[in-house]
Amino acid sequence: MRTLLIGIDSGTQSTKALVVDAKNGRVLAAASRAYGLIPNLPPGAKEQHPHTWRDAAAKAMGQALRAARASAAEIKAIGVSGQQHGFVPLDKNREVIRPAKLWCDTSTAVECDEIMARVGGLKATLRATGNAVLPGFTASKILWLKKREPRNYARLATVLLPHDYLNCWLTGEMVMESGDASGTALFDVKTRRWSDPVLRAIDPALRGKLPPLISSDQPAGRLQQSTAKALGLNAAVLVSAGGGDNMMGAIGTGNTRQGVITASFGTSGTIYACSEKPVVDPLGEIAAFCDSTNRWLPLLCTMNVTVATEMVRRDFGWTREKFDAAAAEASPGADGLLLLPYLEGERTPNLPAGTGVFFGVTPKTFTAQHFARAAMEGVTLGMNYGLRRLAELGVKPKQIRATGGGARPKVWRQIMADIFDAEVVTLKVGEGAAYGAALQALWCWRLHQGEKVSIQEITDEFVQLNRAETALPKARNAALYRELQALQDELSRSLRSAFTTHRQLLLR
């Protein structure tokens, strides 16, 4: 009989499920279920109902289990990766009070400023938590509910994050681990405890609404009877602590020791590294997160990556293959056409009122090929803004492990290598977050069996690079992109007051 694991990645656009063989780390089957955001919300608001994630996870798991021809007895452990920062409010009966405000929701910028002002400003907030309070994080969403929907806030009994909600559905237990908790801005990353100054700034009673904290190697629980029956599995299945999608992506890309950097090109863009100590940015631009292996994960996040390229692709009515080919037809730099990819706000730099801007539109650049290339380059330059800040904090890349949908096209990998000026490699298992969730589940299960095994031993054995897809920087292109980076930075700075004026116009 096989020993099998399930890795779940509950994201903004879809939920993926992998069935993984615990003996060799092979992915035996994969399935996914797509969904969208709640439509017609005000500018900056981005919401989903948690039931959407639960139902999608059940269907994706069922499909993957059938494809793997897995019996209930073969499944030993499940791990869950979830989109970070989403605010799942539950009442005393564990029912969802309202749809979750997501990581990409920028409607709480005012609440961010209020919280930091009450704590004592940016520097005091960084001392209290290691992170600034940004619109993407959970803290401001809680204050938003308290101010804007007081009746719903009066019902609030428990604050969960998306992956915690799925763990609760699986096990019946409400817990939170340090990696995802560090993205709430309620959590002191240095002490791995809730931060009293931030809690008091929102509501002195908030501590009682937060779940118990567990370490990353502990189980969240075992599959509860009702969910086991619905999934066709045994109630003895272990459910690991799980974590945020970036924390699980770190495990799935082998980013479990210092010296490795992962770049995730999905709906959002993230670049992160493993650290043995907290890395706190005095400017508050780089997130000082914990990881989901009981270490730390300095991370930069941009909100707009494949959301921008997909917008251009859909507008031209292309397949993804046609879009990639069109981008490859345009020369590096797109003859000066440059995308400022802030669309409906940005996190790094912190511009919640930002919008997208195509700069350099001329008769020569007003072609589909130029717009396709500029979209790829613009979002990658946006990520490089944060990568340079990481380097200033001592996290310098020699090799970048690329994952997510943007890592698939050859043309985009070369753009990454040229803009980052570093070797870019991909992984044989492209679904880094779902695979990381499965490997964390394996780690938890083996520890529970009495083995003394580290997560590094597991990732060293199972995470493999796809050397055939390596991209190396070209010196001429890298020099051109340094100039374009300076231009994008200048545009970003010069338009910041205009972004605020534009957002106010939309809200009239």
Side-chain angles (χ1 to χ4, degrees):
M1 183 182 296
R2 300 173 297 182
T3 298
L4 305 182
L5 317 159
I6 299 175
I8 300 167
D9 176 28
S10 178
T12 316
Q13 296 178 317
S14 67
T15 291
K16 306 173 185 70
L18 304 182
V19 177
V20 176
D21 192 322
K23 182 178 180 180
N24 52 30
R26 285 183 55 227
V27 176
L28 303 181
S32 67
R33 288 284 170 160
Y35 40 79
L37 302 175
I38 295 174
N40 304 318
L41 297 177
K46 296 287 183 289
E47 299 179 4
Q48 286 174 332
H49 201 291
H51 291 177
T52 301
W53 315 326
R54 180 197 65 193
D55 297 343
K59 290 175 181 176
M61 277 194 285
Q63 186 178 343
L65 289 167
R66 288 190 296 273
R69 297 182 179 180
S71 68
E74 290 177 312
I75 306 300
K76 302 300 182 184
I78 299 172
V80 178
S81 162
Q83 52 177 304
Q84 285 191 255
H85 316 312
F87 171 34
V88 182
L90 300 185
D91 65 16
K92 62 182 181 180
N93 299 317
R94 300 189 177 186
E95 296 295 330
V96 176
I97 295 171
R98 73 174 313 279
K101 294 184 81 64
L102 305 183
W103 61 272
C104 46
D105 188 301
T106 58
S107 65
T108 63
V110 171
E111 286 75 19
C112 291
D113 293 340
E114 286 184 31
I115 293 169
M116 288 198 288
R118 292 175 188 175
V119 173
L122 175 61
K123 290 184 179 179
T125 304
L126 291 173
R127 286 195 299 271
T129 68
N131 289 299
V133 180
L134 302 178
F137 295 168
T138 317
S140 63
K141 298 171 172 61
I142 300 172
L143 181 57
W144 181 94
L145 186 70
K146 181 183 177 184
K147 289 170 52 182
R148 312 293 177 90
E149 298 179 2
R151 290 186 179 180
N152 281 335
Y153 190 80
R155 296 172 56 199
L156 181 66
T158 307
V159 173
L160 294 182
L161 299 172
H163 109 267
D164 303 322
Y165 173 77
L166 291 175
N167 275 353
C168 181
W169 164 64
L170 291 169
T171 67
E173 303 292 335
M174 295 191 295
V175 295
M176 194 179 293
E177 56 82 47
S178 297
D180 221 0
S182 65
T184 63
L186 304 169
F187 185 84
D188 185 344
V189 301
K190 301 178 292 297
T191 63
R192 295 180 185 263
R193 296 176 182 171
W194 299 118
S195 171
D196 286 325
V198 177
L199 298 183
R200 286 195 300 267
I202 299 171
D203 178 357
L206 184 55
R207 178 179 284 276
K209 303 177 192 298
L210 298 171
L213 292 164
I214 61 173
S215 65
S216 302
D217 53 353
Q218 286 183 263
R222 291 188 180 275
L223 206 55
Q224 64 175 325
Q225 192 67 47
S226 58
T227 306
K229 184 177 180 181
L231 296 174
L233 296 175
N234 294 332
V237 173
L238 203 67
V239 178
S240 67
D245 50 4
N246 294 301
M247 292 73 192
M248 294 296 101
I251 296 173
T253 57
N255 193 343
T256 56
R257 56 166 52 86
Q258 291 192 162
V260 178
I261 287 184
T262 300
S264 176
F265 285 72
T267 305
S268 64
T270 52
I271 297 181
Y272 44 84
C274 180
S275 176
E276 295 294 333
K277 60 183 181 180
V279 178
V280 177
D281 180 2
L283 300 180
E285 289 193 318
I286 299 301
F289 291 158
C290 301
D291 71 359
S292 290
T293 72
N294 298 322
R295 284 188 286 281
W296 285 268
L297 194 80
L299 177 146
L300 67 96
C301 177
T302 64
M303 288 172 53
N304 304 287
V305 180
T306 60
V307 65
T309 56
E310 284 293 284
M311 178 183 70
V312 175
R313 181 187 70 80
R314 287 193 299 267
D315 193 53
F316 287 111
W318 286 335
T319 63
R320 288 183 173 85
E321 291 75 17
K322 175 63 177 173
F323 176 80
D324 299 341
E329 289 176 24
S331 59
D335 293 311
L337 184 64
L338 179 63
L339 172 64
L340 201 60
Y342 300 158
L343 299 194
E344 290 187 280
E346 188 51 274
R347 182 161 137 188
T348 309
N350 182 29
L351 298 171
T355 70
V357 177
F358 274 104
F359 179 82
V361 179
T362 67
K364 181 178 182 180
T365 62
F366 197 63
T367 73
Q369 290 82 1
H370 283 87
F371 276 82
R373 178 126 198 157
M376 280 188 178
E377 292 176 340
V379 298
T380 310
L381 288 164
M383 291 177 69
N384 195 48
Y385 172 92
L387 182 61
R388 289 177 304 153
R389 182 65 189 144
L390 267 179
E392 291 170 4
L393 296 172
V395 182
K396 298 181 180 180
K398 294 182 179 178
Q399 180 194 79
I400 293 177
R401 299 184 177 187
T403 185
R408 296 188 187 106
K410 181 179 180 181
V411 59
W412 203 342
R413 292 196 300 274
Q414 187 59 54
I415 288 170
M416 294 176 203
D418 293 338
I419 289 177
F420 297 151
D421 199 12
E423 179 186 51
V424 172
V425 299
T426 62
L427 290 302
K428 289 193 175 179
V429 178
E431 298 295 346
Y435 194 56
L439 294 185
Q440 192 209 48
L442 174 60
W443 182 38
C444 180
W445 180 75
R446 288 175 63 176
L447 289 173
H448 202 69
Q449 296 292 108
E451 290 186 54
K452 292 183 178 180
V453 61
S454 69
I455 189 65
Q456 296 98 320
E457 291 175 86
I458 290 172
T459 57
D460 286 350
E461 182 178 0
F462 292 145
V463 177
Q464 297 180 356
L465 302 182
N466 190 351
R467 289 289 184 184
E469 293 185 348
T470 298
L472 297 172
K474 298 177 181 178
R476 183 175 178 180
N477 292 350
L480 171 62
Y481 285 127
R482 281 193 290 273
E483 294 184 63
L484 285 174
Q485 183 76 63
L487 179 57
Q488 190 189 67
D489 292 349
E490 183 181 352
L491 282 170
S492 175
R493 289 189 297 269
S494 66
L495 288 172
R496 291 180 186 186
S497 63
F499 288 146
T500 301
T501 302
H502 183 261
R503 174 59 65 85
Q504 291 170 347
L505 181 67
L506 292 178
L507 292 173
R508 285 179 187 170

